[in-house]
Amino acid sequence: MVTQGQRQPDGEAAVVSPPYEYNLVTQGQRQPGSVPKVFVLAAALEAGYHPLLTFPPNGPLTFEMPGEDWEVDNYGGTSYNTPEMTIVEGTARSVNVVYAQLVMHLGAEKVIEVAKKMGVTSPWEPHPSVALGALDISPLEVAVAFSTLANYGVRNEPTAILKVVDRDGQVLYEHRPQSAQAISAINAYRVTEVLKGVIQHGTGGRANIGRPAAGKTGTSQEEADAWFAGYTPDLTTVVWIGYPEERRRMGVIRGTRVQGGSFPAMIWRTFMAGALQDKPATDFVKPEEDVIPVLVDKENSKLINRFTPPEEMELRHYRYGGEPQEQSERFMEKKTLPDVVGMPWEQANHLLLMMEGFQDVELVPEPNPAVQAGVVHRQEPAGGSDIPTSTKIKLFYNQAQEGPPQPVVTLPDVVGMPWDQANHILVVGNGLVNVKKIAEPNPAVLAGVVHRQEPAGGWRVTLDQEVRIYYNP
C-alpha cells in the first residue's frame, strides 16, 4: 500500500491494496501489531507528555479494568536490563509495557481523537489496548496517518484519481485536495524524530535506505500479521504481510521469522530504494513555529514523572530544544538503599541496578588498602537511606592495579540489535577494546541479531574488560 508524502497538495495519490480482512480484537480476531503506538505517541506529545518520560519496561503487568483486568507483556516475553526506559527508547524497541503505562496515563479517548484527526475512519472502542494494536484498521488508514506525519501534521484525504481528460486533452475532472491540520507541525516533526530511531537503532533496522526516513514495525500476537509503515519527506509506504482469507501464523519462512522488522521492513526498503532512486535525499526540516506544550512539575519546573499527581502538573510552552530535559524527583517511588559496603563492585552494581531498581549507579575507583581489590569500601548515600530510585548513588571501591584508575563505563544493552550495529556501539560509541562476537544459534531471533550478552547491559566495566555478544548466525 503506497501513498505519496504530500508536502505539495497537488502531489496526492494513492494505490489501494487488495481487500484487507479486519475485525475487533474484542472478538479475539485480527490486529495489526504495534503500528498504532504512533497514535499514542502523537497524542502524548499534543497533550504535553515529553518523550523523555520513563516507565519500567518489563512485564507482565496487570491493570484493573471494569469487567476484566488487562494483562500486558512485551512481544515474546522480552525483558530489558534496565529498570526505567524512556518513551523514545520504548518506541525504537516497540516495548508494549512502556506504551501500556503511557496510555493509562493519557487515556484511550485522547488517542482515538488524534487517530481520527490523522485519518483513521474505522470505529474504535475506547480501551487502553488501542496502544498495542488491539483495533480495527486498514493499510489505507495507516498510509493516510503516516503521510500526515510526513506532511507536518496536515492530513490530505486519499484519492486514486487526480485528473480525467478526454482524447482532445480537455479536463473533465480534476481532484481538489481536502486538507486539515490534524496535529501541530512541530509535534508531527517530533514524532518523526522519534520514529527515525526505529530505523537507526531499533526494530526497523532492515528498512534502512541510506537516507533520512522514519517508520514503525508491527507484529501481531502469534505472528499472523506483520507490518512496516514508513516515510521520507517525499513518499509514504505501508507494507502488510499475512493471509487475507484467514488468520494463520506465519512463523519462520526460509530461516527467517516473520516479524515487522524482517520481511515487511526488507520489502519496504527494496521498494523505497527503487521508487526514490532518481530523487535527491532530503531530510525533514524543523518548522519555524516550534513552540511545544510540556507538562512540568509546578514546584521545580522539571518534567513530570509517572508519579506526579495531576494537581501538581502545569502545562507550559517552550521553544523546541529549550524545554526541561530532566524528570522531577518529587513523588518518585522511594526505596531503602541496601548497604553494599564489603561487596565486590560487580555484585553491588548488579544488586542496585537489576534487583533493586535504582537507576543511576556510579562506580568510583578509590584506593583503600584496608579492603581487597575490587571491593566497595564506602557508598553515598549510606545504606539504609530512603531515597527515590532515580537518586545518583556512588560506590567507592579499591582498585586492583597500581597507577591511575582505569576509566569505567556503563555497558549498553545491545540485545535485539544486529551484531555489527551492537559491535559499533560498544567499540566506537563506548571505547571498549575487547569485544568478542560469538555465533550461537537461536531460532527465536533473526539471523545476525544479538540474543544475549555477557556482562549484561547496565553493568559497569573497564574499557579493556572482555565483553561477549552472542548472535544468531
Side-chain angles (χ1 to χ4, degrees):
M1 164 63 218
V2 182
T3 183
Q4 286 189 352
Q6 303 139 9
R7 278 193 175 180
Q8 299 80 25
D10 59 356
E12 188 177 21
V15 180
V16 182
S17 64
Y20 172 76
E21 290 189 355
Y22 48 88
N23 299 94
L24 292 174
V25 75
T26 51
Q27 299 172 331
Q29 296 164 334
R30 176 156 294 172
Q31 52 184 305
S34 52
V35 168
K37 287 187 177 75
V38 173
F39 300 122
V40 182
L41 176 60
L45 297 188
E46 288 278 278
Y49 290 84
H50 198 277
L52 293 182
L53 178 64
T54 65
F55 294 97
N58 297 319
L61 296 182
T62 300
F63 300 94
E64 293 185 0
M65 302 291 294
E68 184 178 354
D69 291 346
W70 182 40
E71 184 170 314
V72 178
D73 202 354
N74 295 322
Y75 176 79
T78 302
S79 61
Y80 301 90
N81 292 322
T82 178
E84 296 282 323
M85 183 178 286
T86 64
I87 296 171
V88 173
E89 191 65 19
T91 306
R93 299 191 180 200
S94 200
V95 181
N96 291 343
V97 170
V98 167
Y99 265 84
Q101 294 170 88
L102 176 59
V103 78
M104 290 297 291
H105 277 258
L106 184 62
E109 293 83 0
K110 289 184 179 179
V111 177
I112 294 173
E113 179 183 348
V114 168
K116 298 294 185 185
K117 291 179 179 179
M118 292 175 64
V120 174
T121 58
S122 297
W124 288 1
E125 295 293 330
H127 190 279
S129 57
V130 297
L132 310 184
L135 41 78
D136 182 1
I137 194 170
S138 73
L140 178 59
E141 292 169 279
V142 175
V144 172
F146 275 62
S147 290
T148 299
L149 297 173
N151 201 29
Y152 296 91
V154 176
R155 185 196 74 244
N156 286 329
E157 295 301 323
T159 183
I161 300 174
L162 295 178
K163 184 185 293 186
V164 177
V165 298
D166 63 17
R167 62 184 178 182
D168 298 322
Q170 276 194 305
V171 178
L172 303 178
Y173 166 81
E174 187 166 6
H175 175 68
R176 294 183 179 180
Q178 298 178 1
S179 302
Q181 190 76 43
I183 62 174
S184 70
I186 186 61
N187 278 336
Y189 176 79
R190 294 170 72 201
V191 172
T192 296
E193 289 289 285
V194 175
L195 295 185
K196 280 183 174 181
V198 174
I199 296 175
Q200 293 168 353
H201 61 269
T203 56
R206 294 189 178 191
N208 196 324
I209 54 175
R211 64 166 70 198
K216 187 71 186 74
T217 58
T219 309
S220 69
Q221 294 296 324
E222 300 180 358
E223 298 161 359
D225 303 272
W227 294 70
F228 189 84
Y231 55 95
T232 69
D234 305 291
L235 186 65
T236 296
T237 299
V238 176
V239 177
W240 168 78
I241 292 179
Y243 292 92
E245 70 280 358
E246 64 177 325
R247 179 176 176 79
R248 191 190 312 174
R249 183 172 185 173
M250 291 176 283
V252 177
I253 299 177
R254 296 182 179 178
T256 299
R257 186 170 298 280
V258 180
Q259 297 170 327
S262 60
F263 291 109
M266 291 186 285
I267 293 170
W268 188 91
R269 180 189 64 202
T270 300
F271 173 82
M272 292 291 278
L276 299 175
Q277 62 181 347
D278 296 328
K279 286 185 175 291
T282 57
D283 202 351
F284 301 93
V285 179
K286 185 180 75 170
E288 292 184 6
E289 179 53 57
D290 63 350
V291 175
I292 62 172
V294 180
L295 286 169
V296 299
D297 184 316
K298 64 169 57 175
E299 181 178 283
N300 54 35
S301 299
K302 295 181 179 181
L303 299 175
I304 64 167
N305 60 59
R306 65 181 184 276
F307 298 109
T308 306
E311 63 271 15
E312 296 297 326
M313 300 179 185
E314 187 169 276
L315 186 67
R316 299 180 187 172
H317 291 81
Y318 301 85
R319 297 289 298 271
Y320 179 44
E323 76 275 14
Q325 301 288 311
E326 183 181 352
Q327 283 189 117
S328 172
E329 292 184 352
R330 279 214 308 159
F331 311 109
M332 285 291 285
E333 179 184 9
K334 291 186 177 182
K335 297 188 71 172
T336 300
L337 180 65
D339 184 354
V340 296
V341 172
M343 294 184 185
W345 69 261
E346 298 97 332
Q347 179 183 348
N349 184 68
H350 183 77
L351 171 66
L352 296 179
L353 282 175
M354 303 307 167
M355 300 180 67
E356 294 293 333
F358 290 96
Q359 303 163 32
D360 191 357
V361 178
E362 180 182 358
L363 294 166
V364 183
E366 181 180 73
N368 187 334
V371 299
Q372 294 181 345
V375 170
V376 177
H377 59 85
R378 68 185 179 99
Q379 68 182 80
E380 297 175 355
S385 304
D386 288 328
I387 58 174
T389 55
S390 60
T391 303
K392 188 176 192 63
I393 301 167
K394 290 186 177 182
L395 304 182
F396 299 83
Y397 69 99
N398 184 28
Q399 194 166 30
Q401 79 281 351
E402 297 179 357
Q406 291 189 35
V408 178
V409 299
T410 300
L411 189 63
D413 181 3
V414 297
V415 173
M417 297 183 185
W419 73 261
D420 51 350
Q421 179 183 350
N423 185 71
H424 181 83
I425 289 174
L426 297 175
V427 175
V428 179
N430 288 270
L432 299 172
V433 298
N434 194 10
V435 178
K436 305 294 185 184
K437 304 183 294 291
I438 302 174
E440 181 180 72
N442 187 334
V445 301
L446 300 174
V449 171
V450 177
H451 58 85
R452 68 185 180 101
Q453 67 182 83
E454 296 174 351
W459 281 62
R460 299 280 286 179
V461 298
T462 58
L463 297 184
D464 61 354
Q465 183 171 335
E466 182 178 275
V467 176
R468 296 174 294 280
I469 56 176
Y470 298 82
Y471 68 96
N472 184 29

